[in-house]
Amino acid sequence: MLVLMKKDHTPENVEGVRKKIESMGFAAHVMPGDHSVAIGITGNRGAIDPGEFLLLPGVAEALRVTREYKMASRDFKRKDTEIVVGGKVTIGPGRFVVIAGPCAVESEEQTLRIARLVKSHGAHILRGGAFKPRSSPYAFQGLGLEGLKILKKASLETGLPTVTEALDHRGLEMVNEWADMIQIGARNMQNFSLLQECGKLKKPIMLKRGMSATIDEWLMAAEYILEQGNPNVVLCERGIRSYDPQTRNLLDLTAVPVIKDLSHLPIIVDPSHGTGKRDKVAPMARGAIAVGANAVMVDVHDRPAEALCDGPQALLPQDFEKLVQSLRSLAQALGVAL
Ligand code: PEP
Ligand code: MN
């Protein structure tokens, strides 16, 4: 249920509605909008009678929200959400953010080298995995805590905030301590207890789409985080499994306008994992800005043949430089800041 207040409501009216909701044993979420205030209700198992609220002073309407996600939905919040990463980079409407870096933190030398390079070509946020979810248990699993410390060092030197993946509860605590945004990878999109732990934090969470998740399932996963109290969720489209082996995944750019319609949350596109092929990354990154994504995240490596993870999809430094230049032209044409 969503309670919409009249334009001329008073703060006492809002308090009255909040108390009423809490007295019913539910949680109230007060959301100031451009014209008035909406108060969302969560925690109810069945439908609530709108009559409970319509007679309270200052209430204009009480709407049933029948979707299985509420706080993630546009019905709940009309205005696009902005998320601030590391106190300096805003992901949200009117601008386009570039996230770049190696797939994995492999060594201090490699990470600092690539961090400097992506910074010099215009990246806003540095990526790099310290905990890697690998299909084979024999593949490089990441440097763990040591990798997080290297990423932090690269961040301090370049001034770029960081995003890195947490694979499990223990990793989540460490990533929360060392990074600016926490990535929940495709394989963990429906790890509900991990999502709930993310919801208890304040740090931005980048929630990647599961490889066979529908958009509704993805938004319900986001709801697990929001509902626990962390409003800082950014979605990331990274491709879904398809039958065609030409690309690693099928990058679903349609998801961007669909998400924009259904949700107020910002959305990032990852064309590196989405295509798995270096030469397909730039065209799809340009597609991402054109369809209204708020950011792209790309793998960059200066020695991809030596990369311990995902070398074939890493952009070379010169490719990345060219990509950012072309994104700047597109941003200008589209009227977004970059
Ligand atoms: C990654 O970004 O490093 C990654 C493992 O991505 P995904 O979870 O989308 O496969
Ligand atoms: Mn990867």
Side-chain angles (χ1 to χ4, degrees):
M1 169 97 29
L2 192 62
V3 180
L4 302 175
M5 303 303 289
K6 289 183 181 156
K7 278 195 184 116
D8 59 355
H9 71 275
T10 65
E12 291 72 37
N13 295 158
V14 174
E15 244 344 89
V17 175
R18 183 211 290 277
K19 286 211 180 96
K20 170 78 183 169
I21 294 168
E22 287 172 358
S23 75
M24 295 165 86
F26 308 140
H29 306 271
V30 178
M31 292 166 294
D34 283 344
H35 304 295
S36 189
V37 167
I39 304 162
I41 305 175
T42 58
N44 52 305
R45 294 272 167 262
I48 304 174
D49 176 9
E52 296 274 3
F53 301 97
L54 289 174
L55 293 176
L56 295 180
V59 171
E61 272 183 276
L63 306 172
R64 285 215 168 101
V65 181
T66 49
R67 294 188 205 279
E68 280 162 304
Y69 51 88
K70 300 180 180 186
M71 300 181 71
S73 88
R74 273 266 179 228
D75 304 332
F76 233 64
K77 187 177 170 222
R78 295 230 56 84
K79 223 173 144 190
D80 287 331
T81 289
E82 289 191 337
I83 281 152
V84 182
V85 183
K88 54 171 114 171
V89 178
T90 302
I91 304 180
R95 64 186 93 216
F96 193 73
V97 169
V98 178
I99 306 171
C103 180
V105 173
E106 299 168 14
S107 69
E108 181 170 325
E109 214 253 309
Q110 168 256 14
T111 304
L112 285 172
R113 221 172 51 225
I114 299 175
R116 287 178 195 130
L117 197 148
V118 297
K119 159 87 182 185
S120 74
H121 295 324
H124 306 104
I125 297 176
L126 176 66
R127 68 148 287 147
F131 298 97
K132 296 303 303 174
R134 303 306 298 277
S135 301
S136 164
Y138 306 116
F140 175 62
Q141 304 284 313
L143 297 179
L145 180 59
E146 188 199 339
L148 294 178
K149 291 182 181 171
I150 293 172
L151 200 62
K152 179 79 186 177
K153 195 166 178 185
S155 168
L156 289 173
E157 191 197 295
T158 57
L160 297 174
T162 57
V163 57
T164 191
E165 178 162 357
L167 277 183
D168 51 27
H169 289 239
R170 217 170 54 85
L172 184 63
E173 274 179 38
M174 291 190 249
V175 171
N176 186 41
E177 188 180 335
W178 291 91
D180 298 300
M181 177 154 68
I182 301 164
Q183 175 171 326
I184 296 299
R187 292 155 192 80
N188 266 322
M189 189 205 83
Q190 284 186 315
N191 183 337
F192 299 120
S193 71
L194 187 62
L195 298 177
Q196 282 171 327
E197 288 308 305
C198 290
K200 293 175 189 149
L201 307 174
K202 293 280 160 283
K203 281 255 160 84
I205 309 294
M206 179 202 283
L207 178 63
K208 289 192 125 187
R209 181 179 182 178
M211 48 189 83
S212 61
T214 64
I215 288 177
D216 276 357
E217 285 164 346
W218 190 13
L219 289 170
M220 285 188 271
E223 188 81 9
Y224 265 92
I225 304 171
L226 298 169
E227 175 268 335
Q228 289 292 315
N230 186 348
N232 301 311
V233 178
V234 191
L235 302 166
C236 179
E237 163 62 40
R238 48 77 71 201
I240 46 179
R241 273 281 166 101
S242 94
Y243 50 82
D244 196 328
Q246 283 291 340
T247 53
R248 181 176 179 180
N249 289 297
L250 183 67
L251 185 67
D252 181 12
L253 285 183
T254 319
V256 176
V258 172
I259 287 286
K260 292 282 168 201
D261 195 26
L262 296 174
S263 177
H264 53 87
L265 296 173
I267 178 164
I268 298 170
V269 169
D270 173 350
S272 302
H273 292 82
T275 65
K277 292 189 169 170
R278 176 173 309 123
D279 62 333
K280 307 294 180 294
V281 172
M284 297 314 282
R286 288 190 285 267
I289 191 171
V291 296
N294 303 105
V296 277
M297 180 164 85
V298 292
D299 289 5
V300 176
H301 207 296
D302 56 348
R303 299 175 196 168
E306 293 168 23
L308 297 179
C309 184
D310 288 347
Q313 68 191 34
L315 288 176
L316 295 162
Q318 62 270 29
D319 299 337
F320 178 64
E321 185 180 12
K322 277 201 207 124
L323 170 62
V324 176
Q325 281 165 3
S326 65
L327 290 173
R328 281 195 209 287
S329 312
L330 286 168
Q332 201 175 12
L334 292 163
V336 295
L338 196 165

